[in-house]
Amino acid sequence: MLARNRFILLLVVGVVLAALSYSLQYLQLMPVAPVEAVRSGGGKNRKRVNPVLLTPPATPDPLAGAYLYCNTPNRTQQTWEGHSPADYQLLSVQVMIRHGDRYPLYSIPRTKKPPIDCILSPNKKPSHPLLSSFIAHMGKDGQENWDASLTSLPRLPNHSACEMGELTQTGVVQHLRNGQLLRGAYLRGPPLLPASLGSSQVLLETTGKSRTLQSGLALLYGLLPGGHQRSALRVRQHWNALFCGRSCDCPARQRHLEAEQRRQYRLRVADTRLDRAYVAMAAALGVSPRAIRAANPVDALLCHLCHGLPFPCRVADGNGDNDSNAFSVSAATTCLTPAHLAEIRRQQEEDERERRGAGLYHRYAVLAAQPYLERCAARMERVARGNLSPTEPLVTLASAHDITLTPVLSALGLEGVAAFPGFAARLVMELWRRPPPAGGGARDRETERGRDRETERGRELKGRRSDDLFVRVLYNGEDLTFHTAFCRTHPRHTHTHTHTPLCPLGRFLRFVRGEIFSPLNATSYQEACHASVP
């Protein structure tokens, strides 16, 4: 009897536990799928490991990328510029940025233009601790070392009603913040760059647009707020947005771009969802679908999203400049909505995915970006030789556009890894030198032979050990060095069992001057530029 009672008791307990386990799973109070750890690279770029449930991914939100594109200045950002193994010496920094937030370049027909004031004021949002002193500093004289073609451009945004393409206060704050981030990376604590770094050791290159000039000036003021003497700052204009200098003549580049544009057009025409969105937008505003397409509404809609403005509504008299009540219209049938922007963004994201597979844009990007990358390589060589002229800058800043930065990212092999350049995006290339071995002893022979193979091109450098020179590539503060086309296959761990989150300079030089042309079946820029395009 006692044995039977014990058996019944154990059976009841088992049933209860089984039921409880099933209930917990049903209510999703405990995971039922295996978990895996997300691990990042070692070294200083190491991040916390968090478990991730193997559940189906959520439906992508097309507007999530749009908010990243806005690059709101109050967004917390972790930066990895200036990180290296102990005792490494930073020799130079080359930065390319996209200008900051700007007013739209296109207007949507029969809507009121976004009401944004482009006169800077520390009393309106977004603001920055350096904004007031920056405004005062830009009001002083000092353009002695500027290209004459740039002296007529305004040094600050200056219209109470923003003009087309004008830099906004948000754009200025974005780059003051970028400069401050780089100052924290390179000049605070034990400085990586000379503590006396001043404007004479900095070169600003810009296109002839006020928004790029003003963005560059804002970043440099954030970097050098105490030693920023504009009279000593050298500012040079590039007449072509690709920063191609004397190498802009490249017939094949344009043909590759036209082939890519035809691909984009075919994809858009075949997208029935996008077509319905444009028809709906045109109906809401009382214009033809052709008119709404020609107005490139995504540009203006992103401005409304980034500035937290209500989406544009139809103005009854068709004059978008005179109806002060345009933003009070509430009827859904007369206003554009975030859903319209989401549909356009969805198509753009699909286009980006297909673009990577087609390869047409990458061929264009190689020819568009190689002259700029070649100048970066030449500067690194000059710095590495050690016999610098007084005019050789330690920091070079190229202030440009999305059409400049996007091809550079693609040519470096970062397409699909790096996000499309939003406002105030930054690409940084650092040149580092490894310290000599302690006591001057001989290195491990096998390690030495491996480094020799890695730096065949780098051995042309004189005055420094070529195998002691390294490059880092960072985008928006993230170290992407080992995602680049020239360094994906380079082992991060050497035979001395040390972690080196850097790439040999020789690899970068060989890539820029030869390997970069392999998608075009060419060995030089001139050969690729004058080859026939299928």
Side-chain angles (χ1 to χ4, degrees), residues 282-304:
L285 301 179
V287 298
S288 70
R290 179 176 297 180
I292 197 72
R293 285 178 182 271
N296 192 16
V298 67
D299 193 42
L301 293 178
L302 283 169
C303 177
H304 285 261

Side-chain angles (χ1 to χ4, degrees), residues 5 12 115 124 186 191 198 269 275 286 342 345 358 393 445 454:
N5 290 341
V12 171
K124 69 180 185 182
Y186 300 129
V269 169
D275 187 64
R345 288 287 306 166
R445 294 180 180 178
E454 290 292 342

Side-chain angles (χ1 to χ4, degrees), residues 484-495:
T484 59
F486 64 88
C487 211
R488 283 189 198 122
T489 59
H490 178 67
R492 299 194 190 194
H493 296 273
T494 67
H495 289 280

Side-chain angles (χ1 to χ4, degrees), residues 382-400:
R382 290 195 296 272
V383 172
R385 288 190 185 105
N387 53 348
L388 299 180
S389 69
T391 61
E392 190 66 41
L394 297 181
V395 176
T396 303
L397 173 62
S399 186

Side-chain angles (χ1 to χ4, degrees), residues 15-17 64 97 102 107 135 178 228 245 257 264 279 305 313 329 343 358 363 394 409 445 453 465 471 485:
V15 170
V16 171
L17 290 175
I97 59 172
R102 58 155 172 78
S107 59
I135 295 171
N178 268 344
H228 184 46
L257 178 60
Q264 290 179 356
V279 169
L305 183 79
C313 297
V329 179
E343 197 59 50
R363 297 185 191 111
L394 297 181
L409 293 171
R445 294 180 180 178
R453 289 192 295 270
R465 291 186 61 91
V471 175

Side-chain angles (χ1 to χ4, degrees), residues 33 254 294 369 460 505:
Q254 183 61 30
E460 297 180 8
L505 174 62

Side-chain angles (χ1 to χ4, degrees), residues 71-91:
N71 193 11
T72 306
N74 60 5
R75 184 170 59 91
T76 302
Q77 186 176 357
Q78 188 176 25
T79 62
W80 291 102
E81 285 95 346
H83 285 240
S84 76
D87 299 326
Y88 276 50
Q89 179 186 2
L90 181 63
L91 301 180

